[in-house]
Amino acid sequence: MLKNVYKVPDGKMLKIALEKEGNTIGRIIINGDFFAHPENCIETLEKELVGKELDREKLMNVIRHIVIINNFRIFGFDEKNLCDAIMGCR
Amino acid sequence: MKRFRLLLTGHNSGAMNMAIDEAVMTHISEGKVLPTIRLYGWRPSAITIGYFQSMREEVDLEKCRELGIDFIRRITGGGAVFHENEATYSIIAPENYFSEEILESYKQICSGITTGLKKLGLEAAFAPLNDIVVKGKKVSGNAQTRRMNCILQHGTVLIDVDVKKMFSLLIVPDEKIRSKMINNVEERVTGINKETGRNHGFQEVVNALTDGFREALNLELCSGELSPSEKEMAERLAKEKYSKDEWKFKR
């Protein structure tokens, strides 16, 4: 399991655990002290990200799309921060 | 002017405190009880973690067990909080009582706290997203969720802060960082007593916050108690949800 503890500039803390499958996401856990409404949106994100390519641009678009179509409201990080946190997993 | 129930539930365990919030929210969503402002404390002292945090990553469980401190997951986001010498509030109402915008609704509800703190002689200000500060230092943290067409916001108003004790209960990356983190938090967080130079009791702070909410939110507050059905649900949730490892270690 790869991990990253990422302090969002002017935001909250993201604690990511990532299992890679080749160059895609096999499994991901997004923890932290952020706020997200509705709360189950993080579980949705974690599920939707499985199988997605670990490519910064593509991942950012995928996250943005999931957030917009589901009308998720997240405070403490944005899609770029989440992307940076995921891509920084070691 | 809106009618709210004022609920003073005293000091309870962490599981019971979170269970009461959920039971009240469920009953409000079903229109069975009035929107509610609740003021309370924690006995024993407790660490609560945010909904998205990992209990094992954040909390030193052995240390908590040794000191008899509860560790509990909230249904709200945000960070780990050590609840000891503080007054805690919950405000629970149909979602349309407050702004649909989350930031704006924090601001609305937090105006009750800043008004209450002014009654104790403190110049308190809302600091987005979810803090209240006195002279730039955090004195209150707040967290909100929206479920069942209701808004629930709960938060803590620190009377006295023991940052060293708090950090002894939290997992830190390594021991060298611990003292640095303690210094950092001691510089950024304060309690009412330190700021006024007086020794405020729990009840005095509760009264000030009650007046603050009444005034700032223009409420008619009716003293009340948990209904038998709320009480029964709270007891069940405390036992079957909030005390269970399945919930505590959910993430």
Side-chain angles (χ1 to χ4, degrees):
Chain A
M1 204 79 163
L2 304 175
K3 292 200 164 186
N4 191 18
V5 176
Y6 179 85
K7 167 73 174 74
V8 176
D10 294 318
K12 304 284 187 185
M13 197 69 94
L14 277 169
K15 295 189 175 180
I16 309 291
L18 174 72
E19 244 171 54
K20 276 192 187 181
E21 255 173 42
N23 195 38
T24 67
I25 296 175
R27 187 168 163 242
I28 185 167
I29 301 169
I30 305 164
N31 287 340
D33 60 354
F34 49 82
F35 292 91
H37 304 266
E39 278 76 7
N40 63 14
C41 78
I42 297 300
E43 281 157 39
T44 304
L45 259 178
E46 289 168 344
K47 278 194 199 112
E48 294 279 333
L49 285 174
V50 171
K52 298 297 185 293
E53 199 180 331
L54 283 159
D55 171 277
R56 187 178 301 269
E57 281 306 305
K58 286 181 188 164
L59 207 50
M60 196 134 84
N61 286 331
V62 166
I63 296 167
R64 189 178 295 137
H65 182 72
I66 299 170
V67 168
I68 290 171
I69 60 161
N70 292 293
N71 195 25
F72 293 157
R73 292 188 283 180
I74 296 173
F75 297 85
F77 69 87
D78 62 17
E79 63 269 16
K80 185 184 172 299
N81 304 136
L82 180 55
C83 232
D84 288 344
I86 295 171
M87 298 304 291
C89 282
R90 293 290 176 266
Chain B
M1 191 176 270
K2 289 191 170 102
R3 271 186 92 202
F4 268 63
R5 169 176 60 166
L6 176 65
L7 202 55
L8 303 174
T9 52
H11 292 77
N12 278 293
S13 71
M16 192 47 139
N17 273 334
M18 295 298 93
I20 292 173
D21 273 357
E22 185 173 340
V24 170
M25 183 162 58
T26 307
H27 282 72
I28 290 173
S29 81
E30 291 166 357
K32 289 177 180 159
V33 296
L34 279 177
T36 296
I37 286 184
R38 174 181 166 229
L39 290 135
Y40 56 103
W42 307 74
R43 196 163 292 147
S45 302
I47 292 263
T48 64
I49 59 166
Y51 182 80
F52 305 107
Q53 292 187 299
S54 153
M55 187 66 83
R56 281 195 181 82
E57 277 176 24
E58 302 295 334
V59 182
D60 186 334
L61 303 174
E62 232 168 83
K63 189 78 185 171
C64 283
R65 289 192 185 105
E66 184 192 318
L67 297 181
I69 285 164
D70 278 352
F71 44 92
I72 294 292
R73 177 182 305 279
R74 302 190 304 270
I75 56 170
T76 51
V81 180
F82 175 46
H83 304 274
E84 194 163 64
N85 194 359
E86 64 169 46
T88 317
Y89 78 90
S90 304
I91 182 160
I92 310 165
E95 212 173 341
N96 62 11
Y97 273 48
F98 295 98
S99 173
E100 203 230 328
E101 291 298 321
I102 288 174
L103 173 59
E104 182 58 25
S105 65
Y106 268 112
K107 197 173 159 190
Q108 289 171 337
I109 294 171
C110 286
S111 71
I113 301 166
T114 51
T115 305
L117 290 175
K118 277 179 190 134
K119 294 187 182 298
L120 298 172
L122 294 171
E123 262 324 303
F126 174 60
L129 170 73
N130 59 320
D131 290 339
I132 290 166
V133 295
V134 170
K135 289 190 214 141
K137 289 185 169 192
K138 175 171 173 173
V139 73
S140 160
N142 304 275
Q144 191 186 111
T145 182
R146 292 158 185 239
R147 296 164 194 240
M148 304 182 262
N149 294 315
C150 282
I151 184 167
L152 179 158
Q153 183 171 312
H154 49 202
T156 167
V157 177
L158 298 165
I159 300 175
D160 255 324
V161 198
D162 188 341
V163 179
K164 277 193 191 71
K165 187 168 180 187
M166 179 180 100
F167 271 99
S168 78
L169 302 165
L170 298 177
I171 303 279
V172 292
D174 72 71
E175 285 308 313
K176 273 180 281 177
I177 292 176
R178 194 187 296 266
S179 66
K180 210 170 158 190
M181 289 175 95
I182 291 172
N183 289 340
N184 186 297
V185 171
E186 274 174 344
E187 273 167 31
R188 289 189 300 108
V189 178
T190 190
I192 300 175
N193 284 350
K194 199 173 165 194
E195 295 305 313
T196 63
R198 305 208 324 261
N199 199 5
H200 299 276
F202 171 78
Q203 198 54 52
E204 184 193 359
V205 177
V206 162
N207 292 344
L209 292 174
T210 304
D211 291 343
F213 281 122
R214 183 189 288 119
E215 226 173 274
L217 302 180
N218 192 25
L219 306 178
E220 181 196 348
L221 290 180
C222 319
S223 286
E225 286 179 14
L226 287 173
S227 71
S229 159
E230 282 174 311
K231 212 171 164 204
E232 190 192 303
M233 186 183 280
E235 275 161 10
R236 182 167 51 77
L237 285 167
K239 207 169 128 202
E240 292 173 11
K241 177 175 176 179
Y242 291 98
S243 301
K244 284 271 195 292
D245 283 355
E246 192 190 342
W247 171 258
K248 288 188 178 191
F249 297 95
K250 181 182 162 75
R251 296 186 77 85

